[in-house]
Amino acid sequence: MKNVVIIGAGPAGLTAAVELLKDKDEYNVTILEGSDVIGGISQTVRYNGNRMDIGGHRFFSKSEEVMNWWSSLMPVQRADAFDDKVLGREKPLEKGGPDPEKDDVVMLVRDRVSRIYYNKHFFDYPISMKPETIKNMGFATTVKAGFSYLKSCVFKKPETNLENFYINRFGKVLYSMFFEGYTEKLWGRHPSEISADWGAQRVKGLSVRAILKDMFTKVFGKKKDPKEVETSLIEQFWYPKYGPGQLWELAAQKVEENGGRILMNHSVERIVCEGKKVKAVSCRTPDGDRSFEADIFISTMPVKDLVMDMEGDEPCEKIRKIAEGLPYRDFVTVGLLVNKLNLKNQTGRKTLGDIVPDCWIYVQDKGVKLGRIQIFNNWSPYLVKDPENTVWIGLEYFCAEGDDFWNMSDEQCVAFAEGELVKMGVISSGEVLDSHRERIKKAYPAYFDTYKHFDRMISFLNKYENLFCIGRNGQHRYNNMDHSMLTAIYAARSIKNGNADKSDIWNVNTEKEYHEQKSE
């Protein structure tokens, strides 16, 4: 049997373990997880009977393989019995399907609704061409935006940065209104300082043209192929009954049932290299340092830490400088439990408690630090202890570890977040019933500073024959969950096939079309 050590028990690490253990007589798999929770940033945080999803995780992919992977762990319920019962709708469960009121292990189908808060008005996300949009923007601004977009169609800017990437797709006016401020909040840098690679991965084919095409498709009733729909334009997604962490906890159980080991609180701090191979890793644990030798190593730890922790055949000074300069954004979520929101549901969609139906509200207002508002009731009512009488929301802030916001006490941070919601008119003063704060380090790999030399880093990492870098932090790539899983699936295939070429793994989510479509 070959010994495999996987660093990290997030989506990528767990997916790799599950895939390898399909041949459990061939591989002895050990996962080293530095924290005491499963799922990484896809964990579900439990607090006083309520649950928090860190950052929001829509279970949707253009890869059938990934969709089948999820549904093999959790059956999909295509009618939400909880909502139907409360709202009095006559909508029977699918024949033979699971009942979410009786079954805990179930994936719900949820409606995707996200809007932008800008200049004290709400706009669809992505921006639509509805009369309400024109009314909120104002006729003059709408005309300017239209001519600005037409200009961008004729005079294309070189896509040397993220600002030009957005302007080429939306025009200068819409970019300034709906992308510039939020992007600067997210990354702490102006879009003109950020590589266009981020837009190519996260926005892909989204543009005014794509939005108009989607709108006309709806008007004329043409059925859309899910593989042709931009991810930002999907209307439904799957979601585990008790949040994303529930699925990854099931994946962890599957790993252990098939003979794999998951060692919690094992933080990798040394990577011992010899020649063209990784020989061992050393961990800090509650019981002292432990060392693990293996034939194969799969890493989901941040590239910066991986390279800086290498010893034996150490990286050259140039590679170390690239690693040391790789930037990240850290993340804070403040959960607030309130009686109600001051936002009226004027969408025509029925919701439990008649709250606004949004999963996320993107806050473009430059007058507040807040980036997004999650409404957990709308992701799954089972995340909320009393969804009929309370609203459980998550306020998302982007910051840097060690800055003033990160270093606030829990009480200071909650008071700050509550004050911003009151200023925005989302809640009234004194409405908060309970609160909880979560801080996540290195949540978002960033695309500036030494990232411009990352191709050299890939070449360096690839020289280690038995090292496979996967996942968001493992590849320093702002992947969605399904892309991180695909890097793990491809890595497992390469290992099983004895394939030393890792280009398929690195190429996931690097082209305009999803990489996985090429293999299906």
Side-chain angles (χ1 to χ4, degrees):
M1 294 179 69
K2 290 186 177 180
N3 292 319
V4 181
V5 164
I6 299 175
I7 304 172
L14 289 167
T15 300
V18 169
E19 291 299 302
L20 288 173
L21 288 169
K22 288 178 179 178
D23 298 319
K24 56 185 178 181
D25 294 332
E26 299 289 331
Y27 300 98
N28 179 33
V29 176
T30 299
I31 299 179
L32 306 175
E33 169 54 46
S35 72
D36 59 358
V37 295
I38 293 292
I41 197 173
S42 297
Q43 66 184 268
T44 298
V45 175
R46 297 163 176 82
Y47 177 75
N48 282 353
N50 297 301
R51 290 174 166 84
M52 297 173 65
D53 179 351
I54 303 297
H57 290 83
R58 297 187 302 226
F59 285 69
F60 168 83
S61 179
K62 293 183 179 183
S63 166
E64 288 184 23
E65 184 171 17
V66 171
M67 298 291 278
N68 290 338
W69 203 100
W70 287 328
S71 60
S72 70
L73 282 178
M74 300 186 77
V76 179
Q77 175 55 62
R78 295 193 178 278
D80 191 334
F82 189 101
D83 284 352
D84 294 337
K85 178 180 177 182
V86 173
L87 298 174
R89 295 191 296 230
E90 296 294 331
K91 188 176 180 183
L93 297 171
E94 283 192 346
K95 187 175 181 180
D99 183 342
E101 288 198 310
K102 298 176 182 177
D103 301 324
D104 280 338
V105 182
V106 65
M107 194 92 79
L108 307 177
V109 176
R110 308 302 292 163
D111 290 334
R112 185 207 70 85
V113 181
S114 299
R115 287 185 294 173
I116 295 169
Y117 179 81
Y118 174 78
N119 198 24
K120 298 187 183 292
H121 291 289
F122 284 92
F123 297 84
D124 289 340
Y125 176 81
I127 293 296
S128 67
M129 297 295 111
K130 295 178 181 177
E132 184 182 3
T133 302
I134 298 172
K135 177 183 175 183
N136 288 340
M137 287 178 62
F139 180 75
T141 301
T142 303
V143 171
K144 287 180 182 178
F147 280 109
S148 174
Y149 170 67
L150 292 174
K151 180 181 178 181
S152 73
C153 293
V154 178
F155 302 102
K156 292 292 183 183
K157 292 179 175 289
E159 294 193 351
T160 53
N161 57 56
L162 188 57
E163 179 173 60
N164 289 354
F165 178 93
Y166 279 134
I167 291 174
N168 282 346
R169 284 155 183 77
F170 298 94
K172 183 71 180 287
V173 172
L174 290 178
Y175 156 74
S176 299
M177 292 174 66
F178 298 117
F179 293 94
E180 186 176 21
Y182 180 81
T183 302
E184 193 162 6
K185 281 184 189 181
L186 173 56
W187 296 115
R189 299 282 185 95
H190 190 268
S192 61
E193 301 176 49
I194 301 172
S195 168
D197 287 0
W198 186 84
Q201 285 180 211
R202 300 295 292 188
V203 180
K204 294 189 183 292
L206 184 62
S207 63
V208 170
R209 184 179 299 176
I211 294 168
L212 290 172
K213 179 181 177 182
D214 182 73
M215 181 180 70
F216 283 114
T217 299
K218 292 176 184 176
V219 169
F220 292 107
K222 183 180 177 182
K223 189 174 180 180
K224 294 177 287 186
D225 182 346
K227 288 188 177 183
E228 295 179 359
V229 179
E230 280 302 318
T231 304
S232 298
L233 298 174
I234 63 167
E235 296 180 353
Q236 288 188 325
F237 58 91
W238 296 351
Y239 196 77
K241 179 177 178 178
Y242 292 115
Q246 183 185 17
L247 182 135
W248 296 113
E249 288 159 13
L250 288 172
Q253 289 177 23
K254 189 169 183 177
V255 169
E256 293 179 327
E257 287 169 1
N258 287 331
R261 291 190 301 167
I262 302 177
L263 303 180
M264 309 301 290
N265 296 305
H266 277 57
S267 179
V268 173
E269 295 192 334
R270 292 171 53 228
I271 293 92
V272 181
C273 304
E274 191 175 279
K276 294 183 178 180
K277 289 189 175 183
V278 174
K279 183 179 179 182
V281 297
S282 180
C283 298
R284 176 172 43 83
T285 81
D287 300 318
D289 291 349
R290 293 185 64 183
S291 183
F292 295 83
E293 294 188 359
D295 301 297
I296 298 163
F297 292 85
I298 299 175
S299 174
T300 71
M301 69 187 291
V303 171
K304 180 176 186 173
D305 297 339
L306 174 72
V307 174
M308 298 304 290
D309 291 344
M310 284 181 169
E311 58 181 56
D313 291 337
E314 294 186 4
C316 68
E317 188 62 24
K318 285 184 179 179
I319 293 297
R320 289 179 67 85
K321 283 185 176 180
I322 294 171
E324 194 173 17
L326 288 175
Y328 300 82
R329 285 291 273 175
D330 305 295
F331 181 76
V332 172
T333 294
V334 180
L336 297 181
L337 186 70
V338 298
N339 287 311
K340 63 183 180 67
L341 302 177
N342 291 338
L343 306 174
K344 293 183 179 180
N345 181 12
Q346 299 175 325
T347 63
R349 294 174 180 263
K350 289 185 177 181
T351 59
L352 189 60
D354 199 33
I355 62 174
V356 289
D358 304 76
C359 303
W360 276 310
I361 296 173
Y362 291 82
V363 181
Q364 300 287 356
D365 192 333
K366 295 181 181 179
V368 295
K369 181 176 176 59
L370 178 61
R372 284 189 311 198
I373 303 170
Q374 272 186 278
I375 303 178
F376 295 117
N377 302 54
N378 294 330
W379 289 87
S380 168
Y382 301 95
L383 297 180
V384 189
K385 185 177 181 180
D386 183 9
E388 297 183 61
N389 299 298
T390 60
V391 185
W392 178 230
I393 58 178
L395 310 186
E396 300 182 359
Y397 289 92
F398 315 109
C399 58
E401 180 185 356
D403 69 11
D404 290 343
F405 186 81
W406 180 271
N407 287 334
M408 282 183 179
S409 67
D410 286 351
E411 294 76 13
Q412 289 172 325
C413 192
V414 168
F416 180 89
E418 180 182 358
E420 291 208 318
L421 283 194
V422 172
K423 177 182 177 180
M424 292 166 58
V426 175
I427 64 172
S428 300
S429 182
E431 282 289 327
V432 176
L433 305 173
D434 202 355
S435 62
H436 179 70
R437 177 177 69 157
E438 285 287 329
R439 296 187 294 183
I440 305 294
K441 297 178 183 179
K442 292 184 172 67
Y444 303 113
Y447 289 49
F448 39 83
D449 295 344
T450 60
Y451 172 78
K452 62 187 175 183
H453 303 300
F454 198 71
D455 283 349
R456 187 179 299 175
M457 179 64 71
I458 293 174
S459 297
F460 166 76
L461 293 171
N462 281 347
K463 82 174 188 177
Y464 292 97
E465 298 169 0
N466 66 337
L467 174 64
F468 296 82
C469 296
I470 63 172
R472 177 181 282 196
N473 274 335
Q475 294 194 331
H476 200 85
R477 184 169 293 153
Y478 191 178
N479 283 330
N480 283 327
M481 184 168 51
D482 62 325
H483 295 124
S484 291
M485 291 177 64
L486 281 166
T487 64
I489 291 170
Y490 290 176
R493 285 180 187 162
S494 292
I495 291 167
K496 290 179 180 181
N497 295 331
N499 184 6
D501 183 3
K502 300 168 186 172
S503 56
D504 277 357
I505 304 168
W506 287 104
N507 283 340
V508 171
N509 192 29
T510 59
E511 301 179 14
K512 184 176 181 296
E513 295 300 322
Y514 281 88
H515 181 80
E516 62 267 29
Q517 284 182 263
K518 295 183 178 180
S519 60
E520 295 178 350

